[in-house]
Amino acid sequence: MLPGYPGLVADPYPAYADLRAAGAPHLVTMRSGLYGWLVTRYDDARAALADPRLSKDPRHAPADWQEAGRGRPLEDRAGLGTHLLTTDPPEHTRLRRVVSGYFTPRRLARLRPGIESAARALAAGLSPGDDLVGGFASPLQSGVIGDVLGVPADDRTDFRRWTAAVVSSQPGEADARPAALRALGTYVSGLVEAKRRAPGDDVISAMITAAEEGDRLSGDELLSMIFLLLVAGYETTAGLVALGTYTLLRHPEALELLRERPELIEPAVEELLRHDSPVELATWRFALEPVEIGGVVLPAGQPILVAPAAANRDPRRFAEPDRLDLTRSDNAHLSFGHGPHYCLGALLARLVGRAALAEVVRLPGLALAVPAERLRWRASLTVRGPVALPVTFGPA
């Protein structure tokens, strides 16, 4: 995407610094053929994230972009593609209202003891050399999503296997995705019917109840919203745990500070989100009319990519932005977005991130089990993080 920057996937920040210094949005082209204008400065990014002239609906994209992006599950209005990331108000407002009643602080607070208990149990089961992604971050988030959706305990093993295959962005695992998607779709359809008969305290039941009270969802919309919770929630939160751990391991003084002062876990998670965001690029936006961004007028229809990872290190907004400071108080990062599309699951992601990282830092002598340059990174346009994170640690 950005030639001339070796190690771009593992460390995109030198490239982002150069792009920010140049100021204006930059036209970039992906290997897939998708192209768009990359927004890297904080003020420009924050404004773009909330600009109603920038549509989330890919049907407003140019024809050549639509052809290149065909089949991307989070940017395609066909099939499972009608959800919060592909709609604008008032359609987006209606869809968000249906699920927002579940994601309240009071309701999510009920999940906190279970999340902390699960994180504790998974951390206790780790052995030196284990992969922190596959053995900790992913199963933790899969369990959380199972709780949120109301997946029965007996179905969790299959559910976790299908979900892992569906959200995988690794080229070698692409063949397993269609079968897993079919199996997951069949299972979720059955789960929805079961919740209609016997509602529980879960988000599927909340969506069904909302529909009965007037905010009716079509069958495709309901399945699309569940699919979004699976994919977006799974990838970003597991990425927060894995990338946050990696960042702490690369900054041993910060890791030691968090061990000595566990009460810093809340600002620490916010700083980890800012310093190395698991959401590198926000999902696509499309100009409904000519829009000026950073002094450049972009024509109607142009695809636009906002880069929270770049904006979060803008020196015009953050003092010493490349320094990891777990005590940073002025930390209005954009990792969960801004405006009407602000991440609905931000509070839940924070709960999981705090519980998970609080357990990780307690592992004595925690260190990477392989050199950092041998880590493989996710082949994802949106979510940043290592595919696997082998770690070692000593006895308690």
Side-chain angles (χ1 to χ4, degrees):
M1 182 173 75
L2 297 172
Y5 293 92
L8 180 66
V9 176
D11 182 12
Y13 294 102
Y16 286 146
D18 289 346
L19 292 174
R20 279 195 312 268
H26 301 267
L27 184 62
V28 296
T29 302
M30 319 299 168
R31 293 190 184 94
S32 64
L34 291 176
Y35 63 90
W37 293 88
L38 188 65
V39 181
T40 56
R41 285 189 170 183
Y42 183 92
D43 288 346
D44 294 340
R46 192 173 187 274
L49 289 171
D51 194 329
R53 298 172 299 172
L54 302 183
S55 171
K56 299 286 287 178
D57 190 334
R59 292 176 299 189
H60 291 297
D64 61 339
W65 190 99
Q66 293 183 38
E67 185 61 33
R70 195 174 302 281
R72 294 179 56 82
L74 293 185
E75 291 96 12
D76 185 352
R77 285 297 297 265
L80 294 175
T82 302
H83 47 65
L84 295 176
L85 298 184
T86 60
T87 53
D88 303 318
E91 186 180 14
H92 174 270
T93 307
R94 175 179 63 87
L95 293 175
R96 190 178 180 101
R97 184 169 57 237
V98 169
V99 292
S100 60
Y102 181 87
F103 290 94
T104 62
R106 177 180 294 183
R107 200 159 193 170
L108 293 180
R110 301 176 196 169
L111 298 178
R112 180 175 175 177
I115 293 170
E116 292 176 344
S117 177
R120 216 164 21 247
L122 285 166
L126 289 171
S127 299
D130 280 355
D131 167 27
L132 202 74
V133 176
F136 181 74
S138 291
L140 175 62
Q141 182 59 6
S142 179
V144 170
I145 290 177
D147 288 338
V148 167
L149 294 180
V151 177
D154 291 345
D155 298 342
R156 294 288 177 91
T157 299
D158 286 339
F159 181 79
R160 181 184 300 175
R161 176 168 51 84
W162 294 328
T163 302
V166 167
V167 304
S168 174
S169 57
Q170 301 313 305
E173 300 171 6
D175 292 345
R177 189 176 185 276
L181 188 58
R182 288 193 296 273
L184 189 60
T186 299
Y187 175 79
V188 169
S189 296
L191 185 61
V192 168
E193 291 308 309
K195 298 296 180 184
R196 289 190 193 279
R197 294 190 298 270
D201 186 16
D202 54 73
V203 74
I204 294 178
S205 298
M207 285 192 282
I208 293 171
T209 300
E212 292 173 349
E213 293 175 353
D215 286 322
R216 183 165 299 278
L217 295 178
S218 70
D220 284 346
E221 286 176 336
L222 181 58
L223 292 178
S224 294
M225 292 287 281
I226 294 170
F227 181 72
L228 172 65
L229 293 172
L230 280 172
V231 176
Y234 186 103
E235 285 194 309
T236 55
T237 307
L240 162 60
V241 176
L243 193 55
T245 301
Y246 173 77
T247 302
L248 289 171
L249 290 174
R250 302 281 284 178
H251 296 80
E253 72 290 346
L255 175 61
E256 190 57 35
L257 176 64
L258 196 51
R259 282 178 175 149
E260 293 174 355
R261 298 181 58 189
E263 71 275 10
L264 288 176
I265 189 63
E266 291 190 19
V269 167
E270 299 308 309
E271 176 67 349
L272 290 168
L273 283 163
R274 182 203 66 82
H275 186 269
D276 206 352
S277 174
V279 180
E280 185 171 355
L281 302 174
T283 51
W284 294 94
R285 285 165 166 78
F286 308 94
L288 296 175
E289 59 186 70
V291 175
E292 181 179 344
I293 301 177
V296 174
V297 177
L298 304 180
Q302 287 297 289
I304 295 165
L305 275 174
V306 177
N312 287 344
R313 293 213 194 179
D314 190 338
R316 300 163 190 80
R317 176 60 183 81
F318 299 100
E320 298 182 86
D322 293 325
R323 182 169 70 91
L324 183 69
D325 178 6
L326 302 189
T327 66
R328 191 184 297 269
S329 57
D330 181 16
N331 205 345
H333 62 75
L334 298 177
S335 294
F336 290 123
H338 175 66
H341 288 277
Y342 183 81
C343 177
L344 186 66
L347 178 55
L348 182 59
R350 287 180 164 111
L351 288 175
V352 176
R354 292 166 190 167
L357 291 169
E359 295 299 327
V360 166
V361 300
R362 292 190 184 107
L363 296 172
L366 183 67
L368 284 174
V370 298
E373 57 269 20
R374 284 179 51 190
L375 294 176
R376 291 189 302 129
W377 291 80
R378 295 181 61 85
S380 170
L381 181 63
T382 303
V383 181
R384 171 174 156 72
V387 174
L389 191 68
V391 295
T392 187
F393 52 91

